[in-house]
């Protein structure tokens, strides 16, 4: 009788293309664990071609980045909130994002992070890998540099990642300033290179509307007095590093009910798009959104992608459309999403889904990016001489974040303590034979990821949950106390009865054994 093949042999006997088809559909977290299964799987997952195939299968999700800031006298650190396939926000902080980082761009699962120190950081949020690059310019004053002067993108034609720095001109303090030099760094190279622009471009537009990466090029807005938009799009091809000015479609914005439009540049379905938002004159609230997508780059032809009545909501920036949903904010505390029902429609407030409550943070400190979890590796680029290690003490170890760390640790400790108290109360209730209702969830296991802090959204939610939990403890305690009192009363009665029985028994023992009574004989008449 032939022996049955073992499970290991059956897996190894599968064709490699079948294994790849299965693995390419798994999330990054599972793939990182699958690497230790066998050498074959590790080789497949590490293959750059597999990485790109996995990227093509990945679904982009929103990444909301909140930069550090102060609200009501309280300092908040920089943090990222990522949304999963079910549009649920993450609860843990991302270790590679430090409290003083600013996000410049997101591309293929990599992010470009800026800080006040002398380096720029490229990081993969899913794998935790990161590297620091020396900045191209050493500024005398930190105010002369800004995170919005940097961007990051990918060229499919050359398979290269590039960092861009818009070098401010001498007149940068006047009307927003301009720039005529773009400093470019290709990951893996030894130095930055200067690329001159064909004309001076608006630094103010870059700072206000941002930069997006689509179809192998970087796009941003600049001033154009000849256009009805008073803006034009600049295209910077990452393959040959050539610039091109793209005119926007002729549109008349002269509507007496609406004010002058605000412009945004974004990316929708891998194509560069431009949005015009007009507020109502009578209320000042955002009311109308028109989105055009570049249909043909050579012919510079645009198509109207969406025409939406926004009511009192505002779009996020730079990205606000994710697949079949549009993400917006209320201006105060809420971030919402709504289905893109058609090319032209009105936002139905009854169908809004609230994604996040960002109070008390300021919406001006928030950016919205397209993000995918990827396996893109950075180790091949770390040998370049420009890659360096920051020398200064930084991150959560700085004294200014001690109070924030203490508060976070306190919330986590209270959560664990509260859950322990709940467990003991349930045990007491079972002993008393009564039922109580307590549903404080168990805190996550810190042994799996001790460096994963609660992010500020989850920290606030947990604090509110603990407050509500403490307020709800009175009724269960009353039930347990009443049952305990009843049990104590019953026990007291039983003790008294036992004592009484014992006392009687003692009295009988002192009197000695009782004599048996003699039976009387029946009397006879002859006695």
């Amino acid at each position: 009788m032939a022996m049955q093949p073992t499970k290991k042999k059956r897996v190894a006997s599968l064709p490699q293309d079948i294994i790849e088809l299965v693995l390419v559909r798994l999330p990054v977290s599972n793939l990182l664990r699958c690497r230790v299964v066998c050498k074959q799987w590790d080789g497949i997952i590490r293959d750059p071609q597999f990485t790109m195939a996995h990227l093509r299968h990945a679904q982009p999700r929103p990444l909301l980045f909140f930069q550090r800031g102060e609200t009501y006298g309280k300092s908040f650190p920089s943090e990222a909130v990522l949304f999963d396939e079910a549009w649920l926000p993450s609860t843990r902080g991302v270790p590679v994002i430090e409290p003083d980082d600013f996000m410049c761009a997101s591309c293929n699962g990599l992010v470009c992070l800026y800080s006040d120190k002398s380096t720029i950081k490229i990081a993969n949020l899913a794998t935790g890998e990161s590297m620091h690059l020396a900045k191209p310019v050493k500024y005398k004053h930190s105010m002369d540099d800004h995170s919005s002067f940097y961007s990051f993108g990918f060229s499919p034609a050359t398979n290269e990642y590039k960092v861009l720095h818009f070098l401010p001109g001498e007149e940068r303090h006047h009307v927003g300033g301009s720039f005529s030099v773009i400093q470019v760094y290709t990951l893996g190279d030894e130095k930055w290179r200067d690329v001159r622009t064909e004309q001076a471009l608006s630094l103010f537009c870059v700072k206000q509307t941002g930069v997006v990466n689509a179809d192998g090029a970087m796009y941003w807005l600049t001033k154009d007095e000849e256009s009805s938009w008073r803006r034009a799009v600049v295209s910077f091809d990452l393959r040959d590093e050539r610039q091109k000015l793209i005119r926007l479609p002729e549109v008349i914005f002269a509507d007496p009910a609406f004010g002058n439009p605000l412009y945004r540049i974004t990316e929708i379905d891998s194509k560069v798009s431009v949005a015009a938002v007009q507020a109502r004159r009578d209320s000042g609230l955002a009311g109308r959104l028109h989105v055009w997508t570049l249909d043909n780059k050579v012919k510079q032809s645009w198509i109207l992608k969406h025409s939406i009545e926004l009511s009192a909501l505002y779009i996020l920036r730079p990205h606000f459309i994710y697949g079949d949903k549009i993400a917006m904010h209320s201006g105060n505390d809420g971030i919402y999403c709504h289905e893109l029902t058609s090319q032209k429609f009105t936002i139905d407030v009854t169908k809004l889904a609230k994604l996040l409550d960002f109070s008390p943070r300021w919406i001006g400190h928030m950016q919205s990016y397209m993000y995918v979890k990827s396996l893109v590796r950075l180790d091949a680029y770390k040998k370049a001489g420009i890659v360096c290690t920051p020398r200064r003490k930084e991150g959560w170890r700085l004294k200014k974040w001690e109070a924030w760390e203490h508060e976070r640790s306190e919330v986590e400790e209270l959560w664990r303590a509260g859950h322990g108290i709940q467990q003991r109360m349930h045990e007491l209730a079972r002993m008393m034979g009564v039922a109580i209702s307590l549903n404080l969830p168990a805190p996550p296991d810190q042994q799996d990821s001790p460096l994963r802090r609660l992010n500020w959204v989850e920290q606030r939610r947990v604090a509110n949950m603990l407050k509500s939990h403490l307020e709800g403890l009175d009724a269960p305690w009353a039930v347990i106390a009443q049952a305990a009192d009843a049990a104590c009363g019953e026990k007291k009665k039983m003790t008294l009865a036992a004592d009484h029985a014992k006392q009687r028994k003692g009295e009988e023992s002192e009197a000695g054994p009782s004599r048996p009574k003699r039976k009387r004989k029946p009397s006879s008449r002859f006695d």
Side-chain angles (χ1 to χ4, degrees):
M1 182 177 177
M3 295 182 62
Q4 294 293 329
T6 64
K7 184 176 180 181
K8 184 176 180 180
K9 289 182 179 180
R10 287 199 300 268
V11 173
S13 64
L14 288 174
Q16 180 159 322
D17 56 347
I18 299 298
I19 297 176
E20 291 177 0
L21 286 174
V22 175
L23 294 177
V24 80
R25 287 164 172 78
L26 296 179
V28 172
S29 57
N30 289 351
L31 288 172
L32 294 177
R33 289 192 289 267
C34 287
R35 282 175 48 187
V36 301
V37 171
C38 62
K39 291 183 178 180
Q40 182 191 19
W41 286 23
D42 182 60
I44 292 173
I45 295 170
R46 286 177 175 273
D47 191 333
Q49 292 185 356
F50 177 85
T51 298
M52 296 308 297
H54 186 267
L55 268 175
R56 288 190 291 270
H57 279 83
Q59 292 295 321
R61 298 297 173 190
L63 183 158
L64 300 183
F65 184 81
F66 295 84
Q67 66 188 43
R68 73 180 187 202
E70 187 172 313
T71 306
Y72 302 121
K74 182 177 181 179
S75 295
F76 288 86
S78 296
E79 288 191 279
V81 178
L82 286 71
F83 288 81
D84 61 15
E85 291 77 8
W87 285 74
L88 296 175
S90 57
T91 60
R92 292 276 168 174
V94 182
V96 293
I97 294 180
E98 297 178 87
D100 293 300
D101 285 341
F102 294 80
M103 189 169 289
C104 308
S106 171
C107 174
N108 288 354
L110 301 179
V111 296
C112 179
L113 298 166
Y114 166 93
S115 69
D116 297 331
K117 53 181 178 285
S118 59
T119 62
I120 298 168
K121 181 163 56 179
I122 306 297
N124 185 321
L125 303 188
T127 65
E129 191 179 10
S130 66
M131 66 179 186
H132 290 259
L133 308 173
K135 288 182 180 179
V137 178
K138 292 184 179 180
Y139 292 96
K140 294 181 180 179
H141 305 286
S142 59
M143 292 181 62
D144 294 337
D145 200 14
H146 197 273
S147 59
S148 63
F149 299 166
Y150 295 85
S151 195
F152 177 68
F154 176 71
S155 170
T158 60
N159 200 32
E160 293 176 326
Y161 291 92
K162 296 187 179 184
V163 184
L164 272 61
H165 174 238
F166 304 102
L167 183 64
E170 293 299 326
E171 75 288 357
R172 59 182 174 272
H173 298 296
H174 302 284
V175 199
S178 63
F179 65 95
S180 300
V181 175
I182 302 174
Q183 296 178 302
V184 182
Y185 174 72
T186 304
L187 294 196
D189 282 1
E190 294 298 324
K191 62 180 181 179
W192 292 80
R193 294 172 287 101
D194 289 352
V195 178
R196 298 199 64 85
T197 63
E198 297 177 359
Q199 62 187 56
L201 300 172
S202 171
L203 194 63
F204 172 80
C205 290
V206 169
K207 192 172 181 179
Q208 290 296 311
T209 62
V211 184
V212 297
N213 175 219
D215 58 48
M218 308 300 292
Y219 297 91
W220 63 90
L221 294 177
T222 192
K223 293 181 179 179
D224 182 10
E225 300 298 332
E226 298 179 4
S227 170
S228 59
W229 297 67
R230 303 179 69 84
R231 296 288 186 274
V233 175
V234 180
S235 167
F236 183 86
D237 195 312
L238 292 176
R239 178 180 55 182
D240 54 20
E241 298 178 359
R242 293 183 179 180
Q243 308 110 53
K244 184 177 182 180
L245 199 66
I246 301 175
R247 303 288 180 181
L248 289 167
E250 288 299 325
V251 181
I252 305 300
F253 293 107
D255 188 329
F258 293 88
N260 294 328
L262 296 175
Y263 304 113
R264 298 284 183 263
I265 190 163
T266 187
E267 176 255 327
I268 302 173
D269 298 332
S270 301
K271 291 185 177 182
V272 63
S273 302
V274 177
V277 185
Q278 290 181 279
R280 297 184 181 277
R281 292 186 185 274
D282 55 356
S283 64
L285 299 175
R288 179 181 292 173
L289 168 67
H290 297 298
V291 183
W292 282 265
T293 295
L294 184 61
D295 186 50
N296 190 305
K297 190 173 181 179
V298 176
K299 298 180 179 179
Q300 299 195 11
S301 60
W302 298 78
I303 58 172
L304 181 61
K305 184 78 172 179
H306 295 289
S307 181
I308 305 171
E309 295 293 328
L310 290 175
S311 183
L313 297 170
Y314 306 84
I315 61 172
L316 306 180
R317 63 186 182 98
H319 293 92
F320 56 89
I321 289 181
Y322 299 89
D324 60 350
K325 291 182 175 63
I326 178 172
M328 300 160 288
H329 68 89
S330 61
N332 297 321
D333 54 9
I335 296 176
Y336 303 85
C337 72
H338 192 283
E339 296 286 340
L340 291 170
T341 55
S342 61
Q343 188 265 344
K344 184 177 182 180
F345 68 99
T346 299
I347 295 293
D348 185 350
V349 293
T350 64
K351 295 182 180 179
L352 288 172
K354 191 169 186 177
L355 301 176
L356 191 69
D357 182 356
F358 61 84
S359 65
R361 304 191 76 156
W362 181 45
I363 192 64
H365 287 162
M366 190 201 75
Q367 299 156 285
S368 173
Y369 290 99
M370 199 85 71
Y371 175 75
V372 295
K373 293 185 178 181
S374 78
L375 294 163
V376 175
R377 299 167 61 191
L378 297 173
D379 51 359
Y381 308 116
K382 291 182 178 179
K383 298 178 182 179
I386 196 174
V387 177
C388 56
T389 303
R391 297 178 181 177
R392 295 192 310 167
K393 181 181 178 181
E394 57 193 20
W396 297 104
R397 294 174 295 174
L398 292 174
K399 189 173 182 179
K400 65 179 179 178
W401 298 116
E402 286 181 356
W404 178 269
E405 280 288 83
H406 176 72
E407 181 179 342
R408 178 199 57 79
S409 299
E410 202 170 50
V411 169
E412 292 186 347
E413 286 296 329
L414 286 173
W415 192 1
R416 283 189 284 270
H419 189 260
I421 292 172
Q422 174 180 276
Q423 287 179 313
R424 288 192 289 273
M425 288 179 68
H426 278 294
E427 291 173 2
L428 285 172
R430 282 194 296 270
M431 291 172 61
M432 299 299 175
V434 296
I436 60 174
S437 178
L438 290 174
N439 54 0
L440 180 68
D445 188 2
Q446 280 291 97
Q447 294 181 354
D448 294 338
S449 53
L451 299 178
R452 297 293 298 274
R453 301 166 171 84
L454 293 178
N455 61 29
W456 68 273
V457 177
E458 182 68 3
Q459 183 175 323
R460 182 191 57 194
R461 188 193 69 82
V462 170
N464 293 335
M465 178 181 66
L466 291 174
K467 181 181 178 182
S468 176
H469 177 72
L470 289 173
E471 292 173 351
L473 286 179
D474 292 341
W477 269 124
V479 172
I480 293 175
Q482 185 178 1
D485 290 342
C488 287
E490 191 66 28
K491 184 178 180 181
K492 187 175 182 181
K493 290 179 181 179
M494 293 175 65
T495 302
L496 289 173
D499 290 344
H500 183 66
K502 186 177 181 181
Q503 185 178 0
R504 289 182 60 185
K505 186 176 181 180
E507 291 174 353
E508 292 176 356
S509 298
E510 291 177 0
S514 59
R515 294 180 180 179
K517 293 182 180 181
R518 296 175 65 182
K519 293 183 179 180
R520 294 182 61 185
K521 293 181 179 180
S523 60
S524 173
R525 67 176 68 181
F526 300 105
D527 288 345

